[in-house]
Amino acid sequence: MAKKPKFKAENAAAKKTRAPGEEGIKAFLNAEQLHKLSRLLLQSRYVVEGNLAGAHRSPLKGASSEFADHKAYGVGDDPKHIDWKVFGRTDRYYIKRYEDETNLRVYLILDRSNSMAYGSAGVRKYDFACQLAAALGYVTVKARDSVGLFLYSDKLDMQIEPRNSLNHLHNTLKRLQDVETASTTKTADTLHQIAESIHKRALVVLISDLLDDEREIIQALAHFRKHMHDVIVLHVLDPVEIDLSLKQGFEFEDMETGEKLTVDPRGIAREYQQELDKFLEYYRISCEAMKVDYRLVKSDQPVDTYVRAYLEERRRLR
Amino acid sequence: MISFLNPVFLWALAALSIPLILHFIQSSRTERLPFSTVRFLKIASKRSSRRIKMENFLLMLLRFLLLALLALAFAMPIVRTKKFGNLLSGTARDVAIVIDGSYSMNYEVTQQVVWNQAVELATTIIEGLGDNDKFCVYLAGDQVTAVYEQMTDKKEEAVARLKALSRPPCSSRLAPAVMAALDAFERDSRRGERELHVISDFQALPWESFRAGAAELDGAASGSARSGAQAMMWDPAEVSDNTTCFVTLLGAPEPENTAVTDIELKPPLITAGMPCQITARVLRSGQEAETAVSLVVDDAEVVRRSVTPGEGGTDQIQFVLPALNGGVHAAKIETAQDSLKDDDVFYFLIRVREHLPVLCVGDQGGTVFLKTALDANGGSGAAINAGLITPEELSDEKLRGCSCVFLCNSVDLSGQQIKLVEKFVAAGGLLVVMPGDRSAVEDYALWSILPAEPTAVVELPVARRKRLLTWDKPQHPVLWEIAEKGINPSLVVKRQLRFEEIGENSETIISIGAGEPFLVAREHGRGAVLLCAVAADRTWSDFPLSPYFLPLMHQLCQYAASIGAGHPYLWADASISLAEHLPEAGRDSEIVSPEGKPVVIRTSVAESGEVLTYAEGVWTPGHYTLRNPGDTAAQNALAVNMPRRESELTALKAQDIPEILGIAALHVAVGRDDLLKKIEDFRIGRSLGETLLWLALLVAVAEVFYSNSLLRKNRRLTDKLKVAPSGRVKEKQV
């Protein structure tokens, strides 16, 4: 295993992005951002299973006012649900069934590998990802849905079960606040592990730079889809990582493996972009095929603005 | 065929190493940058390495090319081929023209004077210059004359000035003029290419100045354009690398000339009715040829002779001049007209006096023998007019007009009288001092001009009184007649002056006995002083009774006449001292040149307070006349000839010039057409400096565009991806 490089400078810079002296959600989002986010709603595109009655469709038929279908009357059915109009037309007993509505379980899966520590404009991808997780968690909880958190690197580092209270979110973020980037990435293995641990259909949000074997990650995402989860992939990348817009030659050092390479980025930018484009294209096409909501998120934008834009679009496309 | 005007800039080619050095410095200073992953960088680097190497190679090539072009542009290479000459534009140049101003340039070849050809050639050179070219013109004479000292571009004015150029009849030294032209280059030249044109004839004399010593050149350059004269020697190393020298030789390659270079009158001072002999020295340049030489006196041809001087040699021709009347006669010797007409006539004056004025100072008894001897006809034919005065009567007025003064037993003059006599001697008079009983030995000590100081008057015993005289200097003019006649020199001497030693500048002409000085001479100023050991009367010796007393006295008078007669001719010069050559002329006198123009008379006061008078601009050969206030008619005063240095036309070979000058960039042309062809061949070479600068500019622009295009050619991936604010990748744009 490669020696872990330490990047104190980047970490110190990242800490400045968090509100000093604040804890929990306030450490990641200020009052104005919270106000903006409070009106938004994260909805699943597919039916989900929750413990509580909520605003989301459930695979179960329940007591909501929305008609679902008819079912032949059988032993044990409540006679009060018999549709007498259908009986009048067909001389058969049918029971009228209604859509059940449940609350949403949102699982935030956050990558804390060392590659997430990179940031070109003073904002590390990891900090941005944490803010993003906080924002989505807040939106979820405000909608009385449950939010849980998985934090991973080369293994699953932290697991917090979903709850729908602000206190739970506060405590979750408080724990996240104390965790820094570390280690290498084993995203696929971790995702498989998480997929196996979620039994009910839920909304899974993966926040990562996905700098790992893309085929294995796609397979892991397929694992989620196999379990009928609604999956959102927020692919967080720094603008410099996308464009390689550096103005001089450097000795690049891999933040996870420590491998060094001296090149002039101005000379290889074209080939670099082509390779990265292929990488991103693979994710985009694969996710589209699996009906996974894939988003490329640049870490140089305000979190609240991005979340607002994303949720608005998601609402329209639902 | 490539040469460089500023080869020192070729060192700037070392700047080609700058890109390499910068590359290595930059490589060693690469910063470390932690990056999320080097996975894509590695792939990209592997894929683009060949392209990057090619791009870097091209960039480095462009930068090398840019620096090389800049270095070469400043070194100003010149490619002298017709292709480049026709292809490229002209090069601005500075041109210095040096024209030989000696009178040998007046040589005529096929009805054309070489000087006119030289002026026409200089005009052609000037008119052939471009609008950006500048030029200066110098005239080489005995002194350098700047026609245009500073670089100028006024071609029309220069041509007019050249055509109206007048020059004194002098010889020339080319080296000072060439050095003055090179100074003009260093002083004013702002252009890269320089041309030095020297236009001369086939005369070797002007080129000798390139081999002359520093002092000689320094003297020639004093008062010329090359001011602040320092010791100047011709040094080819001082000629800058971008100076090309063109030497054009005009006229006849083997010139011929016959000229009278000198004459001699014998006797120097002629008295009326006395025949004289004129010896003319005739110089011949070129092949041996017979020449008619005629003597003209007072515009009448007296005699015509034929002479055949050998090749490159001299010959003497003698004329016997019949007796002339008193006065100053204008005479000239003419040779047959040849190609160089300026030296065909040699002017001189023949001064004929009615008699020779002599003054004897002493008492009647002491001078009786002398007076008798001078009044008699001594066989020389001279009409001597001897006057007698006592020592007390000696004054400036008495001395005026005399050519010889005998002091007989009269040395004890007053201090003022001694000064008067000394001044008389300095002005060209002859003083003959003869002792006597009245003069004590101490009296001689008051004189400063005596050839020897007597220490005692010696009484000789009877047994030793008969003594022999020896002619120590038989060639001295005093002894000419006597020594030739072979008179037995014996003398009975009772008493005589004894000299311990004679003065430093004195000589013993006649000695007595065992080498004791008898007649001692010394020159003082333009005159001379003679001191005799015995008196002029019988009390000391039988010298006055001896047979050679009379001819010796007459010879002394002739000698006095010759040293005071003045030279029969002068060489043309910028100024002539009238006190020396024409004492009778004063500030109010009028001197008229042969052209009928008055000569400017200038006066100056010497440090001693003496007023010095000069005639200015005595350049025209011929007879000058003088008229003093009160004179009814003008009289011949001066005969002026141009210096005959240039008359000896020693032929110069064109192939000798490179060795004389020692310059590598030298073109020697014979004649106008040859020069114009050489100039055309030379000027087709154009400086590539400007062209290279343009090329460097183009390469610089190409380098900037290329390097920028390398940096800008990649569109950002963000732009290609068209990522929506929501993070949705809209579509891929290839």
Side-chain angles (χ1 to χ4, degrees):
Chain A
M1 184 176 172
K3 188 182 175 182
K4 284 185 184 176
K6 293 179 180 178
F7 305 109
K8 293 179 180 175
E10 285 77 4
N11 291 342
K15 281 176 183 172
K16 289 177 187 174
T17 63
R18 297 173 187 173
E22 297 289 349
E23 285 186 337
I25 192 163
K26 288 186 179 175
F28 295 97
L29 301 167
N30 59 33
E32 189 185 354
Q33 288 174 320
L34 290 172
H35 177 70
K36 284 180 183 174
L37 294 169
S38 62
R39 298 174 187 173
L40 301 174
L41 178 65
L42 175 60
Q43 290 181 313
S44 170
R45 294 186 297 174
Y46 310 108
V47 291
V48 292
E49 296 176 64
N51 295 328
L52 305 170
H56 305 275
R57 285 183 298 173
S58 168
L60 304 176
K61 300 296 181 262
S64 75
S65 58
E66 193 171 344
F67 171 77
D69 57 8
H70 286 95
K71 174 185 173 284
Y73 178 75
V75 180
D77 290 337
D78 194 344
K80 70 177 180 184
H81 294 305
I82 294 173
D83 191 338
W84 295 110
K85 289 181 181 175
V86 173
F87 174 75
R89 290 197 297 271
T90 63
D91 286 340
R92 291 184 183 184
Y93 295 103
Y94 287 98
I95 288 175
K96 206 174 182 180
R97 297 203 305 182
Y98 296 90
E99 289 284 351
D100 190 13
E101 290 179 340
T102 184
N103 69 323
L104 178 65
R105 284 166 183 260
V106 176
Y107 289 95
L108 301 172
I109 304 172
L110 193 57
D111 183 359
R112 63 173 286 257
S113 64
N114 265 333
S115 64
M116 289 291 285
Y118 181 74
S120 64
V123 179
R124 298 187 303 170
K125 290 189 292 183
Y126 179 66
D127 295 320
F128 183 81
C130 287
Q131 284 184 297
L132 198 55
L136 291 174
Y138 180 71
V139 169
T140 306
V141 170
K142 285 293 286 182
R144 304 178 69 134
D145 293 325
S146 302
V147 64
L149 176 69
F150 291 98
L151 199 63
Y152 77 94
S153 53
D154 56 345
K155 63 182 187 306
L156 193 58
D157 295 321
M158 185 191 293
Q159 180 177 357
I160 299 173
E161 288 301 317
R163 297 282 187 278
N164 67 343
S165 70
L166 271 174
N167 272 342
H168 173 70
L169 177 65
H170 182 72
N171 290 333
T172 302
L173 295 177
K174 208 171 155 186
R175 288 184 64 184
L176 181 62
Q177 198 176 337
D178 297 330
V179 179
E180 270 301 330
T181 57
S183 190
T184 55
T185 314
K186 284 186 178 173
T187 305
D189 294 348
T190 314
L191 289 182
H192 280 300
Q193 191 182 345
I194 294 170
E196 288 298 325
S197 67
I198 303 174
H199 301 295
K200 290 186 178 179
R201 283 187 275 184
L203 176 60
V204 176
V205 180
L206 173 61
I207 307 173
S208 170
D209 55 10
L210 302 177
L211 295 176
D212 204 345
D213 189 311
E214 57 268 33
R215 281 169 180 78
E216 289 183 3
I217 290 176
I218 288 297
Q219 283 177 5
L221 291 175
H223 194 172
F224 281 104
R225 288 298 292 142
K226 186 183 174 186
H227 289 159
M228 306 300 285
H229 297 301
D230 187 4
V231 181
I232 299 172
V233 175
L234 299 180
H235 193 171
V236 178
L237 285 176
D238 190 273
V240 172
E241 285 179 320
I242 300 173
D243 297 323
L244 199 66
S245 53
L246 296 167
K247 302 298 182 191
Q248 67 177 88
F250 287 104
E251 184 188 37
F252 291 94
E253 183 175 359
D254 195 307
M255 298 173 83
E256 292 192 3
T257 65
E259 189 179 355
K260 291 174 182 173
L261 180 69
T262 303
V263 288
D264 189 342
R266 292 169 296 186
I268 63 166
R270 190 172 65 182
E271 286 77 10
Y272 176 89
Q273 290 179 7
Q274 286 173 353
E275 283 302 311
L276 189 72
D277 191 25
K278 283 196 312 195
F279 177 72
L280 298 177
E281 183 76 0
Y282 181 78
Y283 275 120
R284 191 177 67 82
I285 291 172
S286 301
C287 289
E288 194 176 335
M290 292 188 300
K291 297 191 185 317
V292 170
D293 192 6
Y294 172 81
R295 304 288 170 151
L296 180 61
V297 186
K298 291 198 289 181
S299 62
D300 64 338
Q301 55 187 325
V303 169
D304 55 331
T305 307
Y306 171 72
V307 171
R308 187 186 181 91
Y310 171 63
L311 294 181
E312 284 292 329
E313 186 184 298
R314 188 175 172 86
R315 185 180 61 78
R316 284 199 307 273
L317 295 175
R318 186 173 177 237
Chain B
M1 291 296 283
I2 293 182
S3 57
F4 294 91
L5 295 183
N6 297 320
V8 71
F9 276 98
L10 289 176
W11 286 103
L13 284 173
L16 291 181
S17 59
I18 290 175
L20 281 176
I21 293 169
L22 287 177
H23 173 73
F24 287 124
I25 290 174
Q26 212 166 2
S27 300
S28 63
R29 285 185 179 177
T30 307
E31 282 183 45
R32 189 176 69 92
L33 179 68
F35 203 61
S36 51
T37 181
V38 296
R39 169 184 161 187
F40 304 111
L41 293 173
K42 277 167 69 178
I43 299 170
S45 175
K46 195 173 179 181
R47 278 182 51 194
S48 61
S49 61
R50 180 172 287 182
R51 179 182 57 80
I52 290 172
K53 280 179 184 172
M54 183 56 71
E55 286 173 356
N56 285 344
F57 175 72
L58 281 173
L59 262 182
M60 190 160 282
L61 203 65
L62 280 174
R63 287 165 186 170
F64 277 156
L65 189 61
L66 176 63
L67 289 171
L69 284 173
L70 283 174
L72 287 174
F74 282 106
M76 297 189 78
I78 284 196
V79 181
R80 301 191 189 284
T81 66
K82 283 189 177 177
K83 279 186 182 175
F84 275 99
N86 296 330
L87 183 67
L88 305 173
S89 58
T91 300
R93 67 193 73 239
D94 284 321
V95 175
I97 302 172
V98 175
I99 308 174
D100 184 355
S102 64
Y103 73 80
S104 67
M105 292 288 282
N106 286 347
Y107 197 89
E108 278 187 26
V109 180
T110 60
Q111 305 294 317
Q112 275 199 318
V113 179
V114 176
W115 169 254
N116 294 338
Q117 292 178 4
V119 170
E120 187 191 344
L121 184 56
T123 304
T124 307
I125 293 170
I126 291 171
E127 287 175 341
L129 295 177
D131 293 336
N132 295 324
D133 300 339
K134 290 198 172 184
F135 62 92
C136 61
V137 184
Y138 287 86
L139 185 66
D142 282 333
Q143 295 185 349
V144 182
T145 306
V147 182
Y148 273 99
E149 188 173 2
Q150 310 284 339
M151 288 290 171
T152 181
D153 55 359
K154 299 172 183 172
K155 290 194 272 188
E156 291 181 3
E157 184 184 318
V159 169
R161 195 182 288 188
L162 267 178
K163 287 180 176 171
L165 195 62
S166 66
R167 61 209 162 88
C170 59
S171 59
S172 70
R173 295 172 179 181
L174 283 172
V178 168
M179 285 190 278
L182 293 176
D183 276 357
F185 277 144
E186 297 303 323
R187 198 170 50 245
D188 299 328
S189 180
R190 298 288 182 270
R191 286 150 196 81
E193 194 160 12
R194 299 170 177 176
E195 287 179 16
L196 171 65
H197 290 269
V198 179
I199 304 172
S200 182
D201 54 4
F202 284 88
Q203 164 73 300
L205 184 65
W207 297 90
E208 288 177 4
S209 54
F210 287 99
R211 293 166 173 158
E216 191 180 344
L217 290 181
D218 198 25
S222 61
S224 70
R226 193 173 173 112
S227 58
Q230 49 193 4
M232 292 182 296
M233 288 277 286
W234 169 248
D235 183 5
E238 287 183 4
V239 181
S240 59
D241 292 335
N242 57 344
T243 303
T244 305
C245 185
F246 291 87
V247 174
T248 312
L249 300 178
L250 301 172
E254 292 181 354
E256 294 182 358
N257 184 40
T258 305
V260 175
T261 58
D262 192 16
I263 59 115
E264 187 181 1
L265 293 177
K266 198 171 181 181
L269 193 76
I270 305 162
T271 52
M274 172 184 171
C276 79
Q277 180 178 303
I278 299 173
T279 305
R281 195 168 288 110
V282 182
L283 176 73
R284 172 68 185 172
S285 302
Q287 292 180 345
E288 183 178 323
E290 186 177 346
T291 307
V293 181
S294 57
L295 171 66
V296 178
V297 179
D298 293 333
D299 295 329
E301 185 176 300
V302 177
V303 61
R304 178 184 286 264
R305 298 277 297 277
S306 181
V307 65
T308 311
E311 182 179 353
T314 58
D315 200 354
Q316 289 188 348
I317 184 168
Q318 291 183 339
F319 301 96
V320 177
L321 190 66
L324 296 171
N325 297 326
V328 181
H329 300 270
K332 58 186 178 184
I333 295 176
E334 293 179 340
T335 54
Q337 280 201 349
D338 50 24
S339 296
L340 185 59
K341 294 185 172 62
D342 291 18
D343 59 4
D344 287 348
V345 183
F346 194 95
Y347 300 94
F348 60 99
L349 295 177
I350 304 171
R351 292 185 175 87
V352 180
R353 292 195 177 185
E354 294 292 345
H355 48 78
L356 296 177
V358 175
L359 188 63
C360 301
V361 182
D363 55 12
Q364 189 72 32
T367 60
V368 61
F369 291 99
L370 178 64
K371 190 81 170 52
T372 306
L374 293 177
D375 287 341
N377 189 336
S380 63
I384 299 172
N385 181 19
L388 177 64
I389 57 170
T390 58
E392 292 75 19
E393 291 173 339
L394 184 65
S395 65
D396 189 26
E397 190 181 350
K398 297 285 185 186
L399 289 173
R400 193 174 300 154
C402 290
S403 59
C404 183
V405 172
F406 288 88
L407 283 183
C408 301
N409 197 15
S410 306
V411 181
D412 54 337
L413 295 175
S414 66
Q416 192 175 0
Q417 287 174 318
I418 290 173
K419 277 191 174 180
L420 281 175
V421 174
E422 287 180 353
K423 187 179 174 184
F424 160 77
V425 173
L430 179 69
L431 174 66
V432 182
V433 180
M434 307 196 78
D437 293 334
R438 181 180 156 187
S439 303
V441 173
E442 294 75 21
D443 294 333
Y444 294 93
L446 299 174
W447 292 79
S448 62
I449 60 172
L450 294 182
E453 189 174 341
T455 54
V457 177
V458 183
E459 289 285 346
L460 297 174
V462 176
R464 291 181 55 201
R465 282 182 181 172
K466 187 167 185 181
R467 314 197 67 182
L468 286 176
L469 294 180
T470 307
W471 315 129
D472 287 352
K473 303 285 180 187
Q475 296 302 319
H476 195 278
V478 172
L479 300 182
W480 276 351
E481 298 290 334
I482 304 165
E484 286 174 8
K485 287 179 181 174
I487 299 172
N488 187 22
S490 65
L491 208 63
V492 176
V493 180
K494 301 175 190 169
R495 198 177 304 149
Q496 74 172 73
L497 286 177
R498 172 163 292 172
F499 312 102
E500 287 297 328
E501 58 182 14
I502 63 170
E504 195 173 320
N505 301 319
S506 307
E507 57 181 350
T508 304
I509 297 172
I510 305 171
S511 60
I512 186 169
E516 289 182 57
F518 181 78
L519 185 63
V520 192
R522 175 194 172 185
E523 292 183 356
H524 176 70
R526 291 175 54 214
V529 182
L530 281 85
L531 177 59
C532 189
V534 296
D537 56 13
R538 293 177 57 193
T539 53
W540 284 41
S541 68
D542 64 348
F543 178 51
L545 301 175
S546 66
Y548 41 85
F549 179 77
L550 185 144
L552 184 62
M553 294 303 114
H554 279 248
Q555 199 60 37
L556 282 172
C557 292
Q558 289 290 334
Y559 175 57
S562 66
I563 62 174
H567 213 60
Y569 64 89
L570 297 174
W571 298 119
D573 205 347
S575 76
I576 289 175
S577 170
L578 294 179
E580 184 179 353
H581 299 290
L582 200 59
E584 57 268 35
R587 292 173 61 180
D588 300 329
S589 302
E590 185 186 11
I591 300 175
V592 179
S593 73
E595 298 162 325
K597 295 177 182 174
V599 175
V600 177
I601 296 175
R602 184 174 60 83
T603 57
S604 63
V605 180
E607 288 181 4
S608 61
E610 188 181 0
V611 178
L612 305 173
T613 314
Y614 297 94
E616 297 282 339
V618 188
W619 290 116
T620 310
H623 295 109
Y624 288 68
T625 57
L626 169 72
R627 173 187 269 178
N628 280 320
D631 288 354
T632 53
Q635 58 176 343
N636 291 317
L638 295 170
V640 175
N641 294 292
M642 62 176 60
R644 291 299 200 258
R645 274 170 57 87
E646 289 278 326
S647 295
E648 187 178 358
L649 300 179
T650 308
L652 174 74
K653 291 177 182 174
Q655 54 265 34
D656 294 340
I657 291 176
E659 186 196 347
I660 294 171
L661 287 178
I663 303 173
L666 175 68
H667 302 271
V668 181
V670 177
R672 178 180 182 276
D673 295 339
D674 191 20
L675 173 71
L676 295 181
K677 185 176 180 306
K678 281 189 165 60
I679 288 178
E680 188 185 357
D681 289 345
F682 175 76
R683 288 185 185 170
I684 59 168
R686 305 294 185 219
S687 168
L688 297 180
E690 194 178 341
T691 311
L692 288 176
L693 277 178
W694 279 110
L695 273 178
L697 183 65
L698 286 177
V699 172
V701 170
E703 195 272 342
V704 168
F705 271 97
Y706 184 58
S707 55
N708 276 344
S709 70
L710 291 180
L711 295 176
R712 289 180 182 174
K713 68 183 177 184
N714 298 319
R715 275 181 64 196
R716 294 196 311 164
L717 182 58
T718 313
D719 301 332
K720 290 182 197 170
L721 291 172
K722 285 200 169 179
V723 181
S726 62
R728 187 165 58 86
V729 180
K730 289 180 179 175
E731 58 181 285
K732 186 187 174 190
Q733 286 194 347
V734 180

